[in-house]
């Protein structure tokens, strides 16, 4: 094994992405549970007989349980996934500088997220806390993009050093898809800022956002597959 640190690091990063994906599924279930609970509460207020009241209370209870259980599961999975990613980036960074750059960005993003959460929760400051929270969220988002690109570039660099040209090409494909997704996301936000909520801008923004969402899913799937192949490549070489 030529790059044992990179292998162990990429393996942890791969696991963190799988946990993150499961966390996203849990968050969707939690949101569905919240919607069911809200619908149950509304139905309970409008119930006209005992049968409707019982049905509404069941929906309220089941929705609340789903929202609570899967909400906690999401939080736990996100924390574990981020810790694993940090450890993986640090470990892989011993064999490839790109991973180290990703580790530094991940630490910075973590600090920004904490700052954003603190300012979002502080009452009584007014617009200042909102502005600071928004700015830190945007910079944190840029850091996450940078981390993604560092990982892809790190794997591609190791593949090039091992003479695996096909992995370099696949890395470039993921990079291109992700860049297009970022560009479309930025376009959607710019249209919203410039033209507000006009019918034309809402329609265009919706179309661009849907396409960007599809590309996001595609790039994420390609990313996970790429990490799996990278893990196998590093193990065998």
């Amino acid at each position: 094994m030529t790059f044992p640190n990179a292998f162990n690091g990429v393996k942890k990063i791969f696991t963190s992405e799988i946990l993150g994906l499961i966390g996203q599924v849990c968050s969707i279930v939690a949101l569905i549970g919240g919607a069911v609970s809200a619908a149950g509460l509304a139905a309970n207020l409008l119930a006209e007989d005992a049968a409707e009241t019982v049905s509404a209370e069941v929906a309220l209870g089941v929705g609340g349980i789903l929202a609570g259980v899967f909400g906690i599961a999401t939080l736990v999975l996100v924390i574990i996934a981020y810790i694993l990613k940090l450890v993986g980036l640090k470990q892989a960074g011993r064999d490839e500088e790109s991973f180290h750059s990703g580790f530094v960005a991940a630490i910075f993003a973590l600090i920004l997220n904490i700052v954003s959460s603190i300012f979002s929760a502080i009452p009584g400051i007014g617009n200042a806390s909102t502005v600071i929270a928004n700015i830190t969220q945007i910079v944190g988002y840029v850091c996450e993009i940078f981390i993604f690109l560092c990982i892809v570039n790190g794997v591609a660099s190791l593949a090039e050093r091992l003479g695996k040209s096909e992995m370099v090409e696949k890395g470039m494909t993921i990079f291109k898809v992700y860049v297009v997704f970022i560009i479309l996301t930025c376009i959607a936000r710019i249209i919203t800022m410039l033209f507000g909520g006009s019918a034309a801008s809402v329609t265009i923004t919706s179309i661009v956002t849907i396409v960007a969402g599809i590309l996001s899913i595609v790039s994420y799937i390609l990313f996970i597959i790429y990490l799996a192949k990278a893990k196998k490549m590093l193990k065998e070489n």
Side-chain angles (χ1 to χ4, degrees):
M1 190 180 295
T2 309
F3 303 111
N5 292 313
F7 168 70
N8 290 320
V10 169
K11 185 166 65 173
K12 288 181 178 66
I13 295 169
F14 172 75
T15 304
S16 78
E17 293 300 327
I18 294 296
L19 291 177
L21 183 60
I22 296 171
Q24 288 181 3
V25 173
C26 287
S27 69
I28 292 171
V29 176
L31 288 172
I32 292 171
V36 170
S37 182
L41 178 60
N44 190 32
L45 294 173
L46 298 172
E48 296 180 353
D49 55 45
E52 289 183 357
T53 300
V54 171
S55 297
E57 288 178 350
V58 168
L60 180 61
V62 171
I65 292 171
L66 285 175
V69 171
F70 284 92
I72 293 171
T74 300
L75 179 61
V76 172
L77 286 169
V78 167
I79 292 172
I80 294 173
Y82 207 85
I83 292 172
L84 269 177
K85 181 181 285 188
L86 282 173
V87 175
L89 286 167
K90 180 66 175 177
Q91 206 164 17
R94 295 169 187 160
D95 286 334
E96 168 57 42
E97 183 61 28
S98 291
F99 291 110
H100 178 69
S101 299
F103 172 76
V104 174
I107 292 292
F108 188 57
L110 179 61
I111 294 170
L112 286 172
N113 286 330
I114 293 171
V115 172
S116 176
S117 299
I118 290 172
F119 277 95
S120 296
I122 294 176
I125 298 181
N127 292 331
S129 63
T130 303
V131 170
I132 294 172
N134 288 336
I135 290 173
T136 52
Q137 283 178 351
I138 292 169
V139 178
Y141 178 66
V142 172
C143 286
E144 290 298 332
I145 294 171
F146 181 71
I147 294 164
F148 179 93
L149 297 179
C150 280
I151 294 171
V152 173
N153 185 62
V155 173
S157 179
L158 290 172
E160 189 172 16
R161 288 155 69 181
L162 291 170
K164 302 292 181 179
S165 58
E166 70 280 3
M167 285 293 288
V168 178
E169 292 171 4
K170 287 174 182 175
M172 287 302 299
T173 300
I174 296 171
F175 178 82
K176 290 174 184 176
V177 172
Y178 197 69
V179 167
V180 173
F181 153 67
I182 293 168
I183 292 171
L184 289 175
T185 301
C186 291
I187 289 172
R189 291 184 179 181
I190 290 170
I191 292 172
T192 302
M193 284 189 295
L194 292 178
F195 302 103
S198 65
S201 69
V202 169
T203 302
I204 296 171
T205 302
S206 297
I207 294 171
V208 174
T209 301
I210 290 169
V211 175
I214 293 170
L215 284 176
S216 174
I217 294 169
V218 170
S219 64
Y220 196 72
I221 292 172
L222 288 175
F223 182 52
I224 289 177
I225 293 172
Y226 189 61
L227 287 175
K229 290 182 178 179
K231 190 173 62 167
K232 182 179 178 182
M233 174 192 74
L234 292 168
K235 184 178 181 180
E236 294 175 350
N237 294 274

